[in-house]
């Protein structure tokens, strides 16, 4: 047989490699911002259009490139940052693989303008999919200005996988935050669709955190400083009472490089032991400085993983440094009278000795389904069933309609239930036993009710006598802004200012006390922390709401509440699966029970 192996042309190899380096617009942002930092810039500007799909531009005032380098930089493995294998053990720059520009230029329309300090003229290169379209001299400023347009123009499949502009922007802002936090000594600007979103002056880390997360953050920070032979730690943790359900604000930097490490994250969680509820996570911004030869950052192409030579010692030092800092802060707490009470969460250490069996205090007279105005019609089974018939069907429920629309009359549910382990509601029908997961059941009931109200535009919201003000960080406010329309649709009407929202009216199903928690929950899901499969905006928000508003496993329910759940559940269009498609109940038939004996 003839020889059949050939070496791929460079342009094809670059396109393949690009798949690994560039997953979405934010990957380009990360690489370009890192290059600008490596070029010793003091001011870096990021310009985005349409979530980066139309334009990603990074302009810096760094060292620039020579005429030759401006061409060579687009070759794979072209780098000025290392020159031999030994250099791999003492990396202090962000880049070193020489892959980014080759990859990005293979899959976009790229323009590079760059000039070094001691030259009259700069270089202007246009390159489309690795093919140089023009190369000329130009009058330009010192530094580098790169335009990346029409990303993935030659990989349509990749382009069609991109998410909405807002979601892509969210990823981009995350990368921007990471770089801005790891280099507070650099000025950063971010423009999105011609609007200035951030203008960050070179400052201390503390001020940078405050500039990014809002002025009230200042009261939340506890400094952490520790220096040992193998490791220096400096940065901030949030005071325990500001722990959150989301993981948004957790940043480790090793020698100014952002890394992810569940092992080190565990060290921090451990140092907060007993001070925060186990469902909450602490926020932190910590810089670790150590000898570059003691770490290996060459683990992953996107370089957020890292190997430490002496991981266990680092864990121990980190844990004790953070513990020490929180301890100091606890001994001399700052008196703070205007702290927002709604941000407080209960300290768990009071229960520490019997934390395995925490009994939730439940108001047994409280019925989650019946509000004083009696607006929650979905409890009245007959009318609900009628209304359901006129409701828009999801593909999901169509399919289930055939198999499992339970007719309550035939169901013969017995009017007596009991609760097992504060988690399951037990009922029986015609000789079989039904075990219902209370949380999932309630999620389903709420989901159908919300979906219906939103679809039919029937949410009633009540104007508040005194608007509620709740403080949020800038990124959180951004998420709220983007989703304002859908939130208004579900009855939460609010205005947004620089660091807070003012709630003007609430839907009937949320009380004023619950709203902060509900919005936190909504933010957690809208922020994309747990991907939710959905086919429409109303479906999405109904899923999120039902998840956050449902009663939870672990809550005691009185007989009435249990019965309400059982009845409402079997009046649902789909009673078997919760909105995230998990089993709501199991049924053990008479025969199965007999067979067990
Ligand atoms: P790496 O950063 O891993 O070296 P890149 O492909 O990102 O690889 O960049 C290739 C080279 O191009 C860099 O090593 C650097 O010499 C040069 N370069 C890239 N961006 C800039 C910039 N903004 N300013 C100056 N030089 C740059
Ligand atoms: Mg680079």
């Amino acid at each position: 047989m003839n020889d059949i192996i050939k070496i791929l042309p460079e342009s094809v190899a670059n396109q393949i490699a690009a798949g690994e380096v560039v997953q979405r617009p934010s990957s380009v942002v990360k690489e370009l911002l890192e290059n600008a930092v490596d070029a010793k810039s003091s001011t870096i500007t990021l310009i985005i259009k349409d979530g980066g799909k139309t334009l990603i531009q990074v302009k810096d005032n760094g060292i620039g490139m020579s005429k030759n380098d401006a061409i060579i930089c687009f070759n794979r493995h072209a780098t000025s940052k290392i020159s031999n294998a030994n250099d791999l053990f003492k990396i202090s720059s962000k880049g070193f693989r020489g892959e980014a520009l080759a990859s990005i230029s293979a899959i976009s329309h790229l323009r590079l303008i760059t000039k070094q300090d001691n030259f009259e003229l700069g270089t202007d290169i246009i390159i489309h999919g690795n093919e140089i379209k023009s190369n000329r001299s130009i009058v330009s400023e010192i530094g580098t200005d790169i335009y990346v347009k029409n990303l993935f123009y030659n990989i349509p499949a990749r382009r069609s996988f991109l998410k909405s502009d807002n979601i892509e922007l969210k990823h981009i802002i995350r990368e921007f935050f990471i770089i801005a936090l790891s280099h507070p000594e650099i000025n950063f600007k971010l423009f999105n669709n011609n609007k200035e979103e951030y203008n960050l002056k070179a400052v201390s880390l503390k001020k940078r955190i405050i500039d990014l997360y809002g002025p009230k953050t200042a009261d939340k920070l506890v400094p952490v400083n520790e220096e040992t032979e193998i490791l220096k730690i400096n940065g901030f943790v949030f005071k325990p009472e500001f722990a959150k359900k989301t993981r948004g604000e957790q940043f480790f930097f090793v020698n100014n490089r952002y890394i992810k490490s569940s092992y080190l994250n565990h060290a921090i969680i451990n140092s907060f032991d007993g001070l925060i509820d186990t469902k909450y996570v602490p926020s932190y911004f910590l810089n670790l400085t150590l000898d570059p030869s003691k770490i290996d950052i060459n683990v992953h192409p996107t370089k957020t993983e890292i190997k430490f030579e002496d991981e266990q010692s680092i864990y121990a030092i980190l844990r004790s440094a953070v513990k020490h800092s929180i301890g100091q802060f606890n001994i001399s707490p700052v008196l703070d009278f205007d702290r927002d009470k709604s941000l407080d969460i209960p300290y768990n250490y009071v229960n520490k000795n019997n934390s395995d069996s925490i009994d939730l205090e439940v108001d047994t007279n409280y019925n989650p389904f019946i509000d004083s105005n009696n607006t929650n019609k979905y409890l009245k089974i007959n009318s609900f069933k009628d209304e359901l018939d006129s409701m828009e069907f999801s593909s999901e429920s169509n399919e289930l309609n055939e198999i499992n629309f339970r007719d309550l009359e035939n169901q013969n549910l017995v009017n007596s239930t009991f609760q097992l382990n504060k988690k399951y509601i037990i009922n029986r029908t015609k000789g079989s036993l039904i075990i219902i997961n209370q949380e999932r059941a309630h999620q389903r009931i709420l989901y159908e009710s919300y979906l219906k109200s939103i679809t039919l535009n029937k949410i009633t919201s009540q104007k508040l006598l005194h608007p509620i003000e709740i403080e949020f960080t800038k990124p959180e406010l951004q998420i709220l802004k983007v989703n304002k329309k859908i939130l208004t649709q579900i009855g939460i009407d609010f205005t947004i200012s620089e660091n807070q929202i003012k709630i003007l009216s609430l839907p009937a199903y949320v009380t004023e006390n619950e709203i902060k928690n509900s919005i936190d929950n909504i933010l957690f899901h809208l922020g994309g922390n747990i991907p939710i499969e959905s086919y429409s905006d109303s479906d999405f928000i109904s899923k999120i709401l039902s998840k956050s508003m449902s009663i939870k496993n672990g809550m005691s329910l009185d007989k009435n509440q249990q019965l309400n759940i059982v009845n409402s559940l079997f009046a649902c269009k789909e009673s078997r699966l919760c909105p995230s498609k998990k089993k709501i109940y199991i049924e053990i038939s008479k025969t199965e029970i007999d067979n067990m004996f």
Side-chain angles (χ1 to χ4, degrees):
M1 207 162 131
N2 294 335
D3 298 339
I4 50 170
I5 298 179
K6 45 188 171 303
I7 306 283
L8 288 172
E10 170 105 358
S11 59
V12 179
N14 280 341
Q15 231 192 63
I16 294 170
E20 209 177 351
V21 181
V22 185
Q23 279 113 26
R24 57 190 339 152
S26 65
S27 332
V28 174
V29 168
K30 169 181 188 288
E31 295 296 337
L32 297 184
L33 289 175
E34 288 188 353
N35 280 347
V37 170
D38 283 345
K40 305 189 171 42
S41 315
S42 61
T43 296
I44 300 172
T45 305
L46 169 64
I47 297 165
I48 298 296
K49 292 222 167 96
D50 306 324
K53 293 172 195 166
T54 312
L55 173 72
I56 298 162
Q57 183 189 349
V58 173
K59 181 173 164 38
D60 69 47
N61 62 352
I63 56 174
M65 280 180 263
S66 70
K67 204 166 178 48
N68 277 339
D69 281 356
I71 286 285
I72 294 170
C73 71
F74 294 108
N75 289 330
R76 206 133 59 95
H77 312 306
T79 180
S80 54
K81 298 167 194 175
I82 58 171
S83 47
N84 57 51
N86 280 341
D87 291 345
L88 274 177
F89 302 105
K90 43 182 186 210
I91 288 168
S92 60
S93 56
K94 307 256 173 225
F96 59 90
R97 292 168 180 264
E99 282 177 330
L101 289 183
S103 301
I104 297 167
S105 63
I107 50 171
S108 68
H109 294 153
L110 188 147
R111 181 176 182 192
L112 163 71
I113 298 172
T114 186
K115 189 176 96 80
Q116 290 180 312
D117 188 9
N118 43 356
F119 286 78
E120 272 294 297
L121 288 176
T123 310
D124 177 6
I125 290 173
I126 294 177
I127 179 164
H128 288 181
N130 271 156
E131 195 187 316
I132 297 174
K133 295 282 179 189
S134 100
N135 178 359
R136 59 191 184 110
S137 294
I138 192 173
V139 177
S140 66
E141 292 170 45
I142 296 167
T144 302
D145 195 359
I146 298 190
Y147 300 69
V148 176
K149 292 186 176 169
N150 309 323
L151 188 66
F152 298 130
Y153 79 98
N154 51 357
I155 319 181
R158 216 29 190 283
R159 200 168 163 91
S160 64
F161 270 108
L162 292 179
K163 295 275 172 6
S164 69
D165 290 0
N166 281 328
I167 293 189
E168 293 304 336
L169 180 66
K170 200 195 126 215
H171 289 283
I172 288 172
I173 289 180
R174 167 98 188 150
E175 292 300 343
F176 179 78
F177 268 48
I178 286 174
I179 288 281
L181 284 165
S182 55
H183 290 279
E185 78 286 0
I186 299 177
N187 302 302
F188 284 96
K189 286 183 199 166
L190 167 60
F191 290 85
N192 175 44
N193 291 338
N194 299 322
K195 190 172 158 263
E196 184 182 280
E197 295 281 353
Y198 292 93
N199 184 350
L200 308 169
K201 297 274 173 276
V203 278
S204 62
L205 174 61
K206 182 170 183 183
K207 184 73 177 40
R208 177 60 49 97
I209 296 171
I210 295 166
D211 286 346
L212 286 171
Y213 290 95
K216 292 222 174 150
T217 317
D219 305 339
K220 302 181 187 174
L221 300 171
V222 180
V224 180
N225 291 301
E226 179 71 86
E227 195 161 353
T228 69
E229 251 168 49
I230 57 167
L231 171 73
K232 199 173 125 191
I233 304 170
N234 69 291
F236 296 88
V237 293
F238 269 18
K239 290 175 190 168
E241 64 263 41
F242 297 108
K244 292 191 137 197
K245 274 189 181 164
T246 67
R247 289 176 184 279
E249 286 113 53
Q250 300 194 318
F251 294 92
F252 275 125
F253 300 98
V254 173
N255 297 347
N256 287 329
R257 179 191 298 279
Y258 170 74
I259 60 138
K260 284 184 195 148
S261 165
S262 48
Y263 184 67
L264 295 188
N265 178 53
H266 191 265
I268 310 274
I269 305 256
N270 212 314
S271 54
F272 274 87
D273 189 28
L275 290 174
I276 57 177
D277 191 284
T278 49
K279 287 199 191 89
Y280 286 71
V281 286
S283 291
Y284 53 81
F285 307 84
L286 292 169
N287 270 309
L288 316 187
T289 313
L290 67 169
D291 179 353
S293 66
K294 299 276 190 277
I295 51 180
D296 179 7
I297 49 178
N298 201 5
V299 185
H300 192 266
T302 55
K303 297 165 290 187
T304 51
E305 278 155 38
I306 192 167
K307 279 201 185 125
F308 296 97
E309 200 179 85
D310 191 0
E311 214 170 32
Q312 282 174 11
S313 309
I314 295 179
Y315 183 101
I317 296 168
L318 188 61
R319 180 172 174 272
S320 81
V322 174
K323 230 183 162 66
H324 180 72
S325 296
I326 309 171
Q328 275 194 331
F329 145 76
N330 268 346
I331 292 164
S332 52
V334 187
L335 281 180
D336 186 351
F337 291 109
D338 33 60
R339 204 175 63 208
D340 186 347
K341 284 277 179 295
S342 62
L343 287 170
D344 285 355
I345 57 145
Y347 277 60
N348 202 23
Y349 63 169
V350 189
N351 291 328
K352 210 169 168 242
N353 295 333
N354 57 355
S355 60
D356 285 337
S357 59
I358 295 171
D359 274 10
L360 274 168
E361 279 288 318
V362 172
D363 174 4
T364 44
N365 293 322
Y366 170 68
N367 185 329
F369 309 106
I370 293 174
D371 66 12
S372 46
N373 299 327
N374 224 359
T375 43
N376 289 346
K377 289 202 200 74
Y378 55 89
L379 275 183
K380 297 181 191 155
I381 290 146
N382 290 330
S383 63
F384 187 53
K385 250 173 80 182
D386 295 339
E387 280 173 355
L388 276 176
D389 291 340
S390 62
M391 194 170 140
E392 187 190 281
F393 279 97
S394 66
S395 54
E396 175 192 319
S397 34
N398 262 338
E399 156 207 332
L400 292 156
N401 232 8
E402 289 163 30
I403 333 168
N404 201 40
F405 186 71
R406 285 183 175 271
D407 188 342
L408 207 62
E409 277 87 331
N410 297 335
Q411 188 67 27
N412 283 341
L413 284 164
V414 179
N415 232 4
S416 93
T417 56
F418 67 92
Q419 201 188 11
L420 183 69
N421 302 336
K422 295 188 181 164
K423 188 170 176 184
Y424 303 107
I425 301 171
I426 315 290
N427 198 298
R428 67 193 153 85
T429 72
K430 288 194 273 179
S432 53
L433 197 63
I434 296 196
I435 304 173
I436 302 170
N437 179 305
Q438 62 188 46
E439 181 169 343
R440 292 182 191 173
H442 196 208
Q443 278 178 12
R444 164 55 62 181
I445 298 163
L446 292 180
Y447 166 75
E448 293 200 0
S449 150
Y450 293 148
L451 185 63
K452 178 169 151 275
S453 317
I454 296 171
T455 325
L456 302 181
N457 226 340
K458 268 201 185 157
I459 294 270
T460 42
S461 76
Q462 298 163 345
K463 249 201 154 38
L464 296 173
L465 220 52
H466 306 286
I468 306 173
E469 291 176 352
I470 310 177
E471 188 204 331
F472 287 103
T473 64
K474 274 197 188 179
E476 288 168 336
L477 288 171
Q478 211 129 20
I479 299 177
L480 289 171
K481 198 149 91 192
V482 168
N483 291 285
K484 190 161 188 306
K485 193 170 150 226
I486 188 89
L487 290 170
T488 316
Q489 232 173 332
I490 58 165
I492 307 175
D493 189 16
F494 58 99
T495 56
I496 304 179
S497 63
E498 211 204 332
N499 52 33
Q500 63 176 24
I501 64 170
K502 195 186 264 183
I503 301 180
L504 309 173
S505 51
L506 281 183
Y509 52 79
V510 194
T511 67
E512 292 189 29
N513 293 337
E514 289 167 342
I515 186 66
K516 166 80 175 101
N517 209 6
S518 307
I519 295 194
D520 269 351
N521 267 317
I522 293 172
L523 269 173
F524 180 66
H525 292 287
L526 285 178
N529 292 303
I530 297 174
I532 291 191
E533 248 182 73
S534 68
Y535 57 87
S536 71
D537 275 358
S538 18
D539 172 68
F540 180 70
I541 201 82
S542 305
K543 279 184 179 153
I544 289 178
L545 274 179
S546 58
K547 252 185 190 304
S548 38
M549 310 295 286
S550 69
I551 55 156
K552 303 287 180 275
N553 288 335
M555 278 171 112
S556 296
L557 302 177
D558 66 22
K559 284 270 181 267
N560 258 338
Q561 294 169 327
Q562 294 170 28
L563 267 176
N564 272 331
I565 291 207
V566 176
N567 289 334
S568 312
L569 173 68
F570 289 107
C572 282
K573 279 198 224 173
E574 155 60 305
S575 45
R576 290 179 316 162
L577 300 175
C578 73
S580 41
K581 304 216 167 74
K582 288 195 193 117
K583 206 188 280 175
I584 294 179
Y585 66 88
I586 51 168
E587 186 170 355
I588 307 175
S589 71
K590 186 165 173 285
T591 337
E592 279 169 309
I593 297 174
D594 285 344
N595 286 344
M596 284 182 210
F597 294 92

